[in-house]
Amino acid sequence: MEKESILKRRAVEASEKAFAPHSKFKVGASLITEDGEVFSGSNVEPITLSLGICAERNVVFQAVGSGHKKITGIVIYTPTEEPTLPCGACRELISEFGSDAEILSFTPTSEERNTIQDLLPKELE
Ligand code: THU
């Protein structure tokens, strides 16, 4: 993935800024757009939990809200043993703005690479 080491650093920094007082699950995400711009964001859990947002959705909204509608790569960091993959809602959102996006999920000790297409449900025949 283009600018992978920058994206990894930004995802770790975002995870450190996560606001997750309820779950304590601190997720950081970063992304790169087709024109090489990098964005990052974390999950945010306000008191009204249903208003909370995943790190992936936060970072996609930042990019799209800043005028970048084509995402080519997303990096997700969690300080856990197993890498974290985006939830179903985030997969759908990512696919709208990055139909071929690469997704790198990593932790201090492991990583997993997918494309968004790998993570979407397949159409019925
Ligand atoms: N979360 C993310 O930010 N990304 C994921 O891929 C999985 C879950 C957040 C949502 C909530 O703040 C916390 O992790 C627990 O589910």
Side-chain angles (χ1 to χ4, degrees), residues 16-93:
E16 286 161 1
K17 295 185 187 119
F19 183 72
H22 307 286
S23 72
K24 318 272 190 233
F25 192 60
K26 290 168 155 266
V27 188
S30 60
L31 65 74
I32 184 157
T33 65
E34 70 176 346
D35 48 356
E37 289 272 333
V38 172
F39 291 85
S40 62
S42 71
N43 55 329
V44 179
E45 295 172 358
I47 289 172
T48 305
L49 266 183
S50 61
L51 298 180
I53 191 168
C54 292
E56 296 91 323
R57 236 171 299 168
N58 184 357
V59 74
V60 170
F61 285 161
Q62 288 195 45
V64 175
S66 304
H68 300 272
K69 296 187 194 64
K70 181 80 181 131
I71 292 161
T72 55
I74 300 209
V75 174
I76 301 156
Y77 173 79
T78 44
T80 53
E81 229 167 83
E82 296 295 319
T84 297
L85 304 185
C87 74
C90 287
R91 292 178 195 194
E92 188 176 318
L93 179 76

